[in-house]
Amino acid sequence: MNVVFAVKQYISKMIEDSGPGMKVLLMDKETTGIVSMVYTQSEILQKEVYLFERIDSQNREIMKHLKAICFLRPTKENVDYLIQELRRPKYSIYFIYFSNVISKSDVKSLAEADEQEVVAEVQEFYGDYIAVNPHLFSLNILGCCQGRNWDPVQLSRTTQGLTALLLSLKKCPMICYQLSSEAAKRLAECVKQVITKEYELFEFRRTEVPPLLLILDRCDDAITPLLNQWTYQAMVHELLGINNNRIDLSRVPGISKDLREVVLSAENDEFYANNMYLNFAEIGSNIKNLMEDFQKKKPKEQQKLESIADMKNVKRLLQNPRVTEFDAARLVMLYALHYERHSSNSLPGLMMDLRNKGVSEKYRKLVSAVIEYGGKRVRGSDLFSPKDAVAITKQFLKGLKGVENVYTQHQPFLHETLDHLIKGKLKENLYPYLGPSTLRDRPQDIIVFIIGGATYEEALTVYNLNRTTPGVRIVLGGTTVHNTKSFLEEVLASGLHSRSKESSQVTSRSASRR
Amino acid sequence: MASLDDPGEVREGFLCPLCLKDLQSFYQLQSHYEEEHSGEDRDVKGQIKSLVQKARKAKNRLLKREGDDRAESGTQGYESFSYGGVDPYMWEPQELGAMRSHLSDFKKHRAARIDHYVVEVNKLIIRLEKLTAFDRTNTESAKIRAIEKSVVPWVNDQDVPFCPDCGNKFSIRNRRHHCRLCGSIMCKKCMELISLPLANKLTSASKDSLSAHTSPSQSPNSVHGSRRGSISSVSSVSSVLDEKDDDRIRCCTHCKDTLLKREQQIDEKERTPDIVRLYEKLRLCMEKVDQKAPEYIKMAASLNAGETTYSLEHAGDLRVEVQKVYELIDALSKKILTLDMKQDPPPHPNTLRLQRMIRYSATLFVQEKLLGLMSLPTKEQFEELKQKRKQEMEQKRILERQAALESQRRLEERRSDLASRATNGEAKAAGRTDEVRTLQENLRQLQDEYDQQQTEKAIALSRRQAEEEDLQREQLQVLREREREREQGQAASLHTRTRSLDFREIRPFQLEPSREPRTHLAHALDLGSSPARSGTATKTSPPSSAPEPFRGWSGPPALGQEFLPQSTASPRSEAPSLNPFDEEEDLASPSAEDTANPPAPEPSLGPPACVLREYNPFEEEDEEDAVAGNPFTKPDGPAPNPFEEEDEHPPRTPASPPVPGNPFEEAPCTNPFEEESDGGQEGAEPIEEELLLQQIDNIKAYIFDAKQCGRLDEVEFKVPARLGWRNWLFGAVHLGAFPVTAE
C-alpha cells in the first residue's frame, strides 16, 4: 500500500532489467515528475543512469554508447516522438516502459518503426501518478471540473491515474462513491469500466476482505482547504507552495543560489521526515533555524487569522487594515459557507465590508463561487456535523478560545467519513457502492480519492488514522494537493460563478499548462 | 478502594497497585503511577519502571505482528500513546506492482517489417555491387547504360509525367533521371548520387560483417548469408574525373536514405568511443573495490581486535591494492571528465554532462567506500593488541563458562514455567492438543530430573515422617487424655481442626514443613475456600498459634502478615533482594497487621489461594495436584509445578531452611523480570527475551483462537496474583485489556 515504494520499485526494476552500462532515462514531462518524487539523483546515479532526457527535447545528441530507458505516458504525442526516435535511434538499445495501458495499434506502429531492431523491451509499468508520501498521491491536475461535471480530458487522466494506482498496488477494489457528486459517480463508473475491460490485469490474489476505493468530491468539504493548515508540510505548502515535493524559493529576495529550489523529501531530509506531521507550533524553534528564509516570508496576518476564527469577530477583523485582501476574502468565504442558511446571515453586509475595504472584485466574486462550489446545496452530508446545530456551532465558535493549541482545532471532514467507514457506519444512501455487492466486513485496505484535490491536512488525518487503527491501511489521493490559493483557483476553474467565467477559463488553461 | 471485607467483589482492570484505582489502559496506569506514586518507595518504582520499559521494548517488536487483538478501549485522549495501527512508513514491503509486456507482440510486428527492410537493403547493396563491379571509367557510356539497365529494369518514361518527389512536370528542360538502384524516375533536383568510395564501403562492409550483424532477432539474420554472400567486390577506384557520372551512381532519395542508414550502422559498429573504453575500465575498478574492500575491512577489524587469523603483511598489501584501485578510479573518472574537452568544436553539451555525471558518481563512490576503510595497526601496536586480546580471551572464557551455566539453569527453569503455564491455559481453553503435547513434553523432560531427586528425598522423608508420626500420635494420645478437662485450650485446637482437613495428616508436616511444602499449599488452598470464616477466625487464633505456626499461615493473607514477626527470619533473608514486593511488604506489614487488608501489590503473598481458586485455570491444577488429579505430576511427587514454587516463595512460609533443590530458591527465576532486577546477568538476557517473546506469542495465539471461537470469557484471564504483578504488567501490555483481579 506504500505508493512511493510502489513507484520506486517500478523504476528500480526498469533500471535493473537494462543491465550494466551507461544509461540515459528518457521521460516525458509528467513521468519526469513521477520519477523525481521517488528517486534522488545521487541514488539513481549509482545505478549507472547518468543522463535524464525529455523525449520531446530536440537537442539530443546521438550517443550510441548509451542504453536508453524510456518511461513514458502512453499518449499520442509520446508514441509519435518515440516512432521518430526509433526511426533514427540515438542510443544503442531501447527499453520502453509505458506508465499505463497502451493500445495494440500503438505497439504495432512502434514495432514498424523499429527497423534497426534497437528495442529490447516494451512493457506497461503502472507508475502513472505522483507519489507524494507513502500514503498520499496526486495527479497534479488543477481544474478538473467544468461546473459540476468533468473536463473529459481530466476525467480520462484521472481514470488512468487511479487505475494505475490500483494496478501498482495490486488491488482490485470495490468502489464506493459520494452520491451527491455527479463527478464522483462518473469517475467510479470509468474506473469500473477499465477494471472490467482489463480484467486480466486486475486478477490478483484475492484477499479475505476486498480493498475499497472511496471516491469523494472536494465540494463536500470546502472548509478544509480554506483554513490554514498547521503542520510543517502543510504550512510550507500554504506559504510557499510545494510542487512535486519541491519548493520554489526563487522569488524570495536575496536567496542564495543553491536554495532557489529546495527539495522536500521525507526520504532524504530527516528533519522533514520527523516533522512533517508535527504541528507547526510544536516544531517551533527548530524550524526557525532551518527554514529561516521562509520565516521571513510568512505574513504575520495570516498566522493570526485562524486564531480569530470566532465569527463574531469577523466584522471587526475585516476592518483591521493589516488583514490582506486575500485573507479577508477567505474569512468571508468561511463565514459564508458556515452560515449559508442561517437566518441572520449577514453575508451581504460582510460583502459590503469587503468592498469598502477595497478588496478587488476578483476575490469578492470568489466568495460566491466558493459557496456555489461547496455550499450546502451541493453537500451530500452535513459538513458542520448534523443534528444539534447549536452544539456544533458552539463547538466551532468556541473554537480557539481557551483551547491550548489553537492550531489543531479543525478536524477535516474526511476524518469523520473514514472513521464511519472503518466502523461500518458509513451510510450507504450517501455513499453507495457501484455494482450489486457491498462490503460487509470491516474494510482493511482503503483508497480514498478526492476529486478536486486533497490537502496536506487531510493527509495528516489519514496518517494518524493509519497509526491509530489496527488492521487498516488507508491511502489518500486527489487530483492535486491544495493550499488555499490553489483551491481557489480550482474553484475559479470550475467556472461555477457565471460572472467569473471568463477569468476562470484563463485560469484553467494556464493551470493545465502548468 | 476494594475492601477485603467484601470478598465477593472482584475487581478487574488496569488497577494501580498502590491505590487500586482502575485506570482503563496500560499507559494511563503508567502515567498515573508516575504522577501519583513517584514519591513512594524508590526502589519499587525503579523496578517497575524498568519492567515497563522492558515490556514496551518487547511490545514494540511485536507491534508489527500485532493484529486486532488489541481491544478498542476508546482511549481517545491518549491517542498519541496507543498507536494501534501502523505508520505508513512502516508498512510491510509489498511486491512489485502489476505489469504487462508487449514485447512478443512488438517482435511479431517488427519481424514482418524487418524482413521487408532487410530484403530491401540487401537488394540495393547487391545492385550497387553489380554497378560497381566493372571498371566504370574505362567503359563507354553506352555500355555502362546497358549494364545499368540490366541490373534493374527502368521505369518507362511515358508512365511518369511528373516527378514523384517534387511534382514538377518533366519536359525537355526538366529531364527524367532514373535511379540506378530501383529504376524509378525523378527530376535532376531530386536526384541523389552515390560516390564510388561510399559504394565500396557499403558493399565491402556487408561482406565483412556477414556474421557480425547485430540484429537481435534471429529470422532476418539467418538469411543474410545467402543474400549477401555471393558478391565479390571489385574496387579499383581510379579517379579519372570527367563530366559524366562515371565515379558516381545516380539514385533516388529513398535508396540513398536507406544506404546512408546502413552506412551509419556500419560506422557505429566499428567505432568504440574512448569514453566507453574508459568507462568499462572504471566499472571494472569499482567491481574490484566492491569485492576487495569488504575483505580488507574484515581483515583490518580482525587485526585491530588483536586476532591472529590474518597476517598483518597480507592485510597491508591488500590495503595498498585497494588504495591503488581507488586512485585508478579517480584518475579514470578525471580522464572521462576531461575527455575531448579541448576539441574544436567542443563536444555536445550532453556529452559533457554525461562526463560530469560519471565523474560525480565516481567521486561519490570513492567517498562512500573510502570512509569505511579503517587503518591497520603498526607492528608494535599489533603486538600489544595481541597481548591484550589474549588476556581478554581468558577472562572472557571464564565469564562465559559461568554465564553458560547460569543461563542453562535459568533456561530450564523458565521452560518448565512456561510449559506448565501454557499447558494449563491452552489445554483447557483451546484444546490445541499438538501444542499442548509439545509443551508437555518439554515440561516432562525438565521435570524428570527434578522428580527423580525429589522422589529420593521424599522416600527418605516419608520414612522418617512415618516414624515421627507414630511417635507423635502416641504423644498426642497422652496429651489429649491429660488435657481433656482443660476445655479452653481444647477450643482453640478444635477450631483449628475444623479448618484443617485432617489434623493427623498434616501434623507430620508441621514438623518438617520445609520438606513438604507442596502439601502445605494444598492445605492452604483448601482453607482458602472459606476466607470469610477464617478471616474472622484469625483474630482469635493468632495468639495461641505461636507454637503451631502452620495453622496461622493457612489462614488468609492478613493472618500471614500477623505472623511475620513470629516466623523465623531465615526465609526472608533469602528472598527480599529478588522480589521487590517483599521489601515493600516488610515495610507495610507492621501497619497492616490488624487491618487485614492486603494491598494488591502483594499478590505473591497469600491471597492467591482464595482469590484464584474459582477463576484461574492454573489454580485448579494446583488443587488437582493436591488430590492427585493432575496427569503431569506424580500424585505424591513433591511439587513439580513451578507455580507452586512461586506460591511458596513468600517469606511468610513457615521456617524453611534452605534445602538443595528447594523450590524456594528457584521460584524467583520463574519470573521473567526477576533477572533484570538483580542485574549482572546480562549474559542470560538474549535467551530470556527470546523466551519472553515466545511466551507472548503463545498467549497471543491462544487469545486469538479464543476470540475466533467467540470464547471471550476465556480470554479474560484472571491475573494469577501469585505470579507477581510484574508478570501481570507484562501480560497486560501484550494482551490489551488484561484484567487484574484483586480482592
Side-chain angles (χ1 to χ4, degrees):
Chain A
M1 285 286 275
N2 184 332
V3 295
V4 172
F5 192 60
V7 178
K8 194 165 182 168
Q9 268 184 318
Y10 276 138
I11 313 289
S12 309
K13 176 95 168 88
M14 289 176 203
I15 299 172
E16 269 167 38
D17 285 356
S18 64
M22 288 181 274
K23 299 179 235 310
V24 55
L25 195 51
L26 260 176
M27 297 167 286
D28 61 37
K29 192 175 167 247
E30 274 191 76
T31 52
T32 308
I34 291 168
V35 172
S36 68
M37 290 298 278
V38 299
Y39 253 111
T40 63
Q41 199 187 35
S42 50
E43 218 175 337
I44 214 164
L45 272 181
Q46 284 174 356
K47 306 202 169 200
E48 297 187 89
V49 178
Y50 296 109
L51 288 179
F52 309 89
E53 299 277 10
R54 288 272 291 272
I55 187 92
D56 51 346
S57 120
Q58 298 302 314
N59 187 28
R60 275 187 290 116
E61 187 193 6
I62 293 179
M63 295 169 111
K64 287 287 182 175
H65 46 288
L66 291 187
K67 294 176 173 181
I69 300 166
C70 312
F71 182 43
L72 303 166
R73 299 207 64 245
T75 60
K76 180 89 190 67
E77 305 89 77
N78 282 340
V79 171
D80 287 345
Y81 279 126
L82 206 51
I83 286 174
Q84 285 169 31
E85 180 79 24
L86 294 180
R87 289 235 164 92
R88 291 193 175 273
K90 295 191 171 63
Y91 311 104
S92 64
I93 187 165
Y94 286 75
F95 297 84
I96 300 171
Y97 300 92
F98 288 105
S99 67
N100 221 315
V101 176
I102 184 157
S103 71
K104 287 235 187 309
S105 62
D106 281 342
V107 172
K108 184 163 183 260
S109 32
L110 283 172
E112 284 168 356
D114 184 25
E115 286 174 340
Q116 305 204 12
E117 292 175 283
V118 286
V119 175
E121 189 66 86
V122 184
Q123 290 235 54
E124 289 169 10
F125 274 19
Y126 307 96
D128 208 11
Y129 52 90
I130 308 276
V132 182
N133 294 142
H135 66 293
L136 177 65
F137 68 96
S138 155
L139 299 175
N140 279 9
I141 299 171
L142 198 55
C144 55
C145 288
Q146 289 298 319
R148 295 258 158 260
N149 293 310
W150 276 98
D151 175 338
V153 178
Q154 306 300 8
L155 175 61
S156 95
R157 175 68 187 98
T158 309
T159 310
Q160 284 179 336
L162 258 179
T163 47
L165 177 98
L166 295 171
L167 286 169
S168 71
L169 297 177
K170 291 197 166 172
K171 304 282 174 207
C172 182
M174 302 187 72
I175 304 172
C176 179
Y177 61 95
Q178 180 187 320
L179 184 66
S180 61
S181 162
E182 188 53 39
K185 189 178 181 201
R186 190 87 185 79
L187 178 61
E189 285 165 354
C190 284
V191 171
K192 185 83 195 172
Q193 218 170 32
V194 174
I195 293 177
T196 317
K197 192 177 157 214
E198 306 285 347
Y199 64 95
E200 288 161 320
L201 273 177
F202 281 90
E203 258 172 25
F204 304 124
R205 210 170 348 103
R206 287 281 164 86
T207 46
E208 210 172 302
V209 183
L212 184 73
L213 172 64
L214 175 63
I215 298 174
L216 304 173
D217 195 322
R218 179 78 272 164
C219 65
D220 210 27
D221 175 14
I223 293 284
T224 303
L226 281 177
L227 291 170
N228 258 355
Q229 301 163 41
W230 290 102
T231 63
Y232 179 33
Q233 192 181 27
M235 271 307 272
V236 173
H237 188 40
E238 184 68 42
L239 297 175
L240 300 168
I242 304 174
N243 188 18
N244 287 0
N245 276 355
R246 278 167 177 71
I247 312 166
D248 183 13
L249 293 178
S250 53
R251 283 167 303 153
V252 179
I255 187 114
S256 68
K257 203 176 172 189
D258 45 334
L259 276 180
R260 285 265 161 78
E261 191 180 75
V262 177
V263 178
L264 274 185
S265 156
E267 307 248 320
N268 307 292
D269 179 348
E270 207 180 323
F271 175 81
Y272 185 54
N274 293 338
N275 292 310
M276 69 183 199
Y277 292 119
L278 280 191
N279 210 283
F280 191 71
E282 289 166 37
I283 306 167
S285 55
N286 313 5
I287 200 174
K288 220 178 205 166
N289 308 332
L290 274 157
M291 296 295 288
E292 215 174 314
D293 21 309
F294 88 66
Q295 284 282 345
K296 267 184 245 156
K297 222 194 146 249
K298 186 171 57 189
K300 294 282 183 296
E301 294 77 20
Q302 221 162 356
Q303 275 188 330
K304 225 189 257 170
L305 180 67
E306 253 53 67
S307 58
I308 319 171
D310 186 341
M311 292 300 168
K312 285 167 193 157
N313 286 333
V314 168
K315 250 191 147 78
R316 193 158 44 79
L317 196 70
L318 283 183
Q319 275 139 25
N320 185 338
R322 288 178 62 214
V323 174
T324 63
E325 60 173 9
F326 179 68
D327 288 334
R330 206 161 130 185
L331 209 53
V332 177
M333 283 171 210
L334 283 171
Y335 178 88
L337 278 175
H338 195 242
Y339 293 102
E340 193 188 350
R341 293 282 160 94
H342 206 271
S343 52
S344 56
N345 186 338
S346 62
L347 186 59
L350 286 174
M351 290 298 281
M352 196 65 92
D353 284 344
L354 276 186
R355 182 173 309 177
N356 294 343
K357 192 178 153 60
V359 172
S360 71
E361 203 194 347
K362 179 184 145 204
Y363 285 122
R364 276 183 284 129
K365 273 182 187 157
L366 265 174
V367 175
S368 45
V370 163
I371 295 167
E372 190 71 20
Y373 183 89
K376 209 167 234 160
R377 206 171 50 77
V378 186
R379 293 199 293 267
S381 39
D382 205 340
L383 181 54
F384 298 98
S385 300
K387 292 149 213 152
D388 190 0
V390 183
I392 301 311
T393 317
K394 241 185 214 161
Q395 182 205 334
F396 193 82
L397 287 189
K398 192 174 67 185
L400 312 161
K401 282 189 254 161
V403 182
E404 264 181 74
N405 193 347
V406 299
Y407 300 121
T408 47
Q409 272 302 293
H410 178 71
Q411 182 82 280
F413 186 61
L414 181 68
H415 182 267
E416 201 184 308
T417 312
L418 286 175
D419 195 52
H420 284 170
L421 178 64
I422 293 166
K423 290 186 176 133
K425 287 195 281 185
L426 199 63
K427 290 198 184 88
E428 239 172 79
N429 54 351
L430 292 179
Y431 301 93
Y433 286 90
L434 200 67
S437 48
T438 55
L439 194 65
R440 288 275 161 255
D441 308 275
R442 182 175 190 247
Q444 286 175 353
D445 291 340
I446 305 169
I447 296 153
V448 198
F449 188 81
I450 304 179
I451 299 164
T455 64
Y456 283 114
E457 190 174 1
E458 279 153 344
L460 167 68
T461 301
V462 170
Y463 176 82
N464 283 336
L465 275 171
N466 272 319
R467 295 223 303 174
T468 50
T469 328
V472 175
R473 294 185 294 181
I474 311 168
V475 167
L476 173 70
T479 43
T480 186
V481 181
H482 277 310
N483 57 17
T484 303
K485 209 170 229 153
S486 68
F487 171 66
L488 291 180
E489 275 175 50
E490 178 94 32
V491 171
L492 264 182
S494 71
L496 276 172
H497 201 256
S498 49
R499 272 175 297 170
S500 56
K501 207 158 214 167
E502 267 175 56
S503 64
S504 80
Q505 275 163 2
V506 176
T507 325
S508 78
R509 223 175 292 135
S510 70
S512 56
R513 211 179 297 130
R514 257 211 282 169
Chain B
M1 190 90 177
S3 69
L4 253 191
D5 304 326
D6 182 9
E9 193 206 354
V10 173
R11 291 194 55 176
E12 293 179 12
F14 289 88
L15 304 185
C16 168
L18 299 186
C19 62
L20 288 190
K21 208 161 125 191
D22 190 341
L23 288 147
Q24 304 300 336
S25 84
F26 166 66
Y27 288 103
Q28 290 186 40
L29 171 59
Q30 192 199 349
S31 56
H32 160 84
Y33 195 87
E34 272 166 12
E35 277 164 31
E36 303 286 324
H37 307 297
S38 53
E40 296 171 44
D41 194 320
R42 285 269 150 210
D43 196 34
V44 176
K45 194 206 155 195
Q47 289 190 35
I48 290 168
K49 210 169 170 185
S50 70
L51 295 169
V52 167
Q53 275 162 2
K54 178 124 184 181
R56 191 186 282 162
K57 226 197 281 169
K59 185 204 167 192
N60 286 341
R61 246 191 255 174
L62 280 167
L63 205 62
K64 274 181 201 158
R65 286 179 284 162
E66 186 140 23
D68 292 7
D69 54 355
R70 197 188 162 81
E72 222 167 272
S73 46
T75 53
Q76 284 212 316
Y78 288 79
E79 260 181 13
S80 51
F81 287 113
S82 58
Y83 295 147
V86 182
D87 189 313
Y89 285 93
M90 305 291 174
W91 279 344
E92 62 210 46
Q94 66 227 37
E95 47 185 311
L96 181 64
M99 44 197 179
R100 177 161 65 182
S101 176
H102 289 288
L103 192 61
S104 59
D105 221 17
F106 187 93
K107 275 186 175 165
K108 204 177 75 202
H109 290 300
R110 181 173 64 182
R113 182 76 188 182
I114 288 288
D115 274 348
H116 174 76
Y117 170 76
V118 170
V119 168
E120 200 177 331
V121 171
N122 286 350
K123 197 168 66 193
L124 289 183
I125 286 173
I126 291 167
R127 284 174 190 168
L128 198 61
E129 192 111 39
K130 281 183 186 166
L131 290 171
T132 53
F134 56 94
D135 186 359
R136 289 181 77 96
T137 39
N138 298 327
T139 316
E140 46 191 277
S141 28
K143 205 175 175 191
I144 293 180
R145 178 160 292 213
I147 295 171
E148 282 176 345
K149 277 193 171 178
S150 75
V151 168
V152 57
W154 286 12
V155 173
N156 213 335
D157 281 8
Q158 278 75 43
D159 292 349
V160 188
F162 305 99
C163 170
D165 287 339
C166 63
N168 286 335
K169 198 175 190 319
F170 292 120
S171 63
I172 310 272
R173 294 190 62 191
N174 187 20
R175 294 195 54 204
R176 293 178 172 85
H177 294 265
H178 279 93
C179 171
R180 303 308 194 250
L181 291 170
C182 66
S184 66
I185 290 172
M186 67 255 140
C187 67
K188 184 158 180 140
K189 265 196 290 176
C190 299
M191 188 183 71
E192 300 276 345
L193 292 165
I194 294 172
S195 65
L196 283 180
L198 174 60
N200 198 24
K201 181 180 169 189
L202 286 167
T203 51
S204 60
S206 15
K207 207 179 65 186
D208 292 344
S209 65
L210 272 181
S211 54
H213 189 72
T214 53
S215 157
S217 85
Q218 295 300 313
S219 52
N221 245 346
S222 53
V223 286
H224 281 174
S226 58
R227 280 174 191 164
R228 291 174 184 169
S230 62
I231 310 140
S232 62
S233 124
V234 180
S235 53
S236 56
V237 190
S238 53
S239 51
V240 183
L241 292 165
D242 56 8
E243 299 304 308
K244 292 192 289 177
D245 301 328
D246 282 350
D247 58 335
R248 291 183 290 180
I249 296 162
R250 296 178 185 188
C251 71
C252 65
T253 349
H254 179 75
C255 291
K256 172 106 186 198
D257 259 11
T258 314
L259 289 177
L260 282 180
K261 246 189 230 172
R262 174 80 193 135
E263 189 205 6
Q264 200 190 336
Q265 268 179 318
I266 294 164
D267 284 353
E268 281 150 11
K269 215 165 295 156
E270 283 164 359
R271 195 181 55 129
T272 313
D274 289 346
I275 186 167
V276 175
R277 272 184 289 111
L278 288 171
Y279 183 75
E280 273 164 7
K281 266 190 217 160
L282 184 73
R283 292 304 295 186
L284 274 179
C285 290
M286 284 176 167
E287 268 167 40
K288 209 166 177 186
V289 167
D290 278 338
Q291 178 199 339
K292 296 270 179 188
E295 205 178 308
Y296 168 77
I297 287 166
K298 203 171 123 201
M299 279 188 182
S302 159
L303 288 170
N304 276 321
E307 287 173 5
T308 49
T309 327
Y310 305 99
S311 84
L312 194 57
E313 291 74 28
H314 188 185
D317 289 348
L318 191 61
R319 187 187 167 81
V320 172
E321 198 185 330
V322 173
Q323 264 172 345
K324 269 197 182 135
V325 179
Y326 279 128
E327 279 158 30
L328 196 58
I329 289 176
D330 191 58
L332 279 171
S333 63
K334 218 178 251 168
K335 204 164 172 190
I336 289 176
L337 179 68
T338 53
L339 208 64
D340 295 337
M341 274 297 216
K342 291 180 189 95
Q343 241 182 23
D344 193 45
H348 192 279
N350 278 358
T351 307
L352 293 177
R353 196 140 54 91
L354 174 68
Q355 292 172 356
R356 268 204 313 278
M357 287 310 223
I358 292 174
R359 164 73 176 162
Y360 176 55
S361 79
T363 321
L364 280 182
F365 179 85
V366 172
Q367 273 173 0
E368 189 192 320
K369 299 276 170 171
L370 209 56
L371 269 181
L373 222 58
M374 59 185 87
S375 59
L376 286 172
T378 62
K379 268 208 171 101
E380 295 77 41
Q381 284 172 331
F382 186 52
E383 287 307 314
E384 274 175 45
L385 282 168
K386 270 203 271 195
Q387 284 303 316
K388 218 164 111 194
R389 180 169 167 80
K390 216 180 236 171
Q391 291 166 0
E392 275 172 6
M393 285 302 280
E394 255 156 48
Q395 276 181 332
K396 210 168 153 193
R397 212 168 294 140
I398 297 163
L399 282 173
E400 260 170 14
R401 204 171 298 145
Q402 286 173 343
L405 284 170
E406 189 88 340
S407 64
Q408 201 183 342
R409 194 169 60 84
R410 231 165 272 281
L411 184 75
E412 278 173 21
E413 286 155 7
R414 183 79 15 74
R415 196 171 295 156
S416 74
D417 175 34
L418 277 176
S420 66
R421 247 189 264 182
T423 314
N424 290 333
E426 292 185 0
K428 283 193 185 98
R432 280 151 52 182
T433 44
D434 288 10
E435 246 169 88
V436 172
R437 209 170 299 135
T438 42
L439 288 167
Q440 282 173 4
E441 193 50 47
N442 287 342
L443 181 64
R444 207 166 307 207
Q445 281 170 8
L446 286 161
Q447 283 168 352
D448 276 347
E449 224 176 304
Y450 182 79
D451 286 352
Q452 220 171 339
Q453 281 182 5
Q454 295 295 312
T455 325
E456 280 167 25
K457 237 177 275 164
I459 293 167
L461 263 178
S462 54
R463 206 171 292 148
R464 223 182 320 162
Q465 280 163 6
E467 289 167 16
E468 280 164 346
E469 215 172 311
D470 285 341
L471 193 86
Q472 280 161 14
R473 224 169 263 155
E474 279 177 30
Q475 288 177 339
L476 201 69
Q477 209 78 34
V478 179
L479 276 171
R480 275 192 191 152
E481 279 171 21
R482 276 191 200 165
E483 294 180 7
R484 192 157 278 172
E485 300 104 274
R486 295 164 69 177
E487 289 293 327
Q488 278 184 325
Q490 186 67 4
S493 64
L494 266 176
H495 194 94
T496 323
R497 217 183 297 171
T498 52
R499 275 186 285 131
S500 3
L501 288 174
D502 182 22
F503 194 72
R504 261 155 241 234
E505 265 182 43
I506 294 154
R507 184 73 183 175
F509 304 141
Q510 270 180 270
L511 303 173
E512 292 282 340
S514 63
R515 299 284 163 118
E516 279 284 3
R518 220 196 57 63
T519 328
H520 269 306
L521 184 85
H523 181 59
L525 288 170
D526 285 340
L527 292 176
S529 60
S530 54
R533 186 158 50 100
S534 52
T536 49
T538 48
K539 291 242 158 81
T540 56
S541 48
S544 63
S545 58
E548 292 176 344
F550 167 68
R551 255 189 288 163
W553 177 72
S554 63
L559 204 61
Q561 285 183 342
E562 282 179 88
F563 271 100
L564 266 179
Q566 292 160 6
S567 58
T568 41
S570 62
R572 242 202 282 178
S573 58
E574 287 167 29
S577 65
L578 299 172
N579 187 338
F581 296 105
D582 289 345
E583 272 186 8
E584 196 185 72
E585 162 236 309
D586 281 346
L587 296 171
S589 51
S591 60
E593 244 170 24
D594 288 323
T595 56
N597 185 7
E602 301 170 278
S604 58
L605 307 184
C610 31
V611 176
L612 292 165
R613 54 178 300 108
E614 288 107 342
Y615 304 108
N616 194 314
F618 305 149
E619 217 243 323
E620 280 169 12
E621 192 167 278
D622 289 347
E623 279 177 341
E624 280 162 16
D625 282 353
V627 289
N630 191 315
F632 308 129
T633 49
K634 294 177 196 167
D636 51 347
N641 187 331
F643 282 40
E644 284 179 55
E645 290 169 8
E646 217 173 65
D647 283 344
E648 289 151 49
H649 167 225
R652 82 188 31 75
T653 323
S656 61
V659 180
N662 185 323
F664 289 23
E665 289 177 336
E666 292 171 9
C669 300
T670 52
N671 187 329
F673 290 106
E674 204 74 30
E675 261 147 309
E676 209 179 41
S677 53
D678 58 16
Q681 284 163 352
E682 279 97 336
E685 223 173 79
I687 306 160
E688 194 191 330
E689 277 193 17
E690 223 169 271
L691 278 163
L692 275 174
L693 292 173
Q694 227 175 320
Q695 180 193 357
I696 291 156
D697 277 348
N698 285 344
I699 297 170
K700 276 179 69 172
Y702 157 62
I703 288 170
F704 183 74
D705 278 0
K707 269 192 180 166
Q708 290 287 310
C709 310
R711 285 181 277 102
L712 275 168
D713 48 332
E714 279 170 5
V715 177
E716 291 189 0
F717 283 144
K718 304 303 175 237
V719 165
R722 62 207 148 128
L723 291 185
W725 91 285
R726 283 164 301 171
N727 266 351
W728 154 73
L729 237 188
F730 185 71
V733 177
H734 296 286
L735 303 176
F738 197 158
V740 196
T741 311
E743 205 183 21

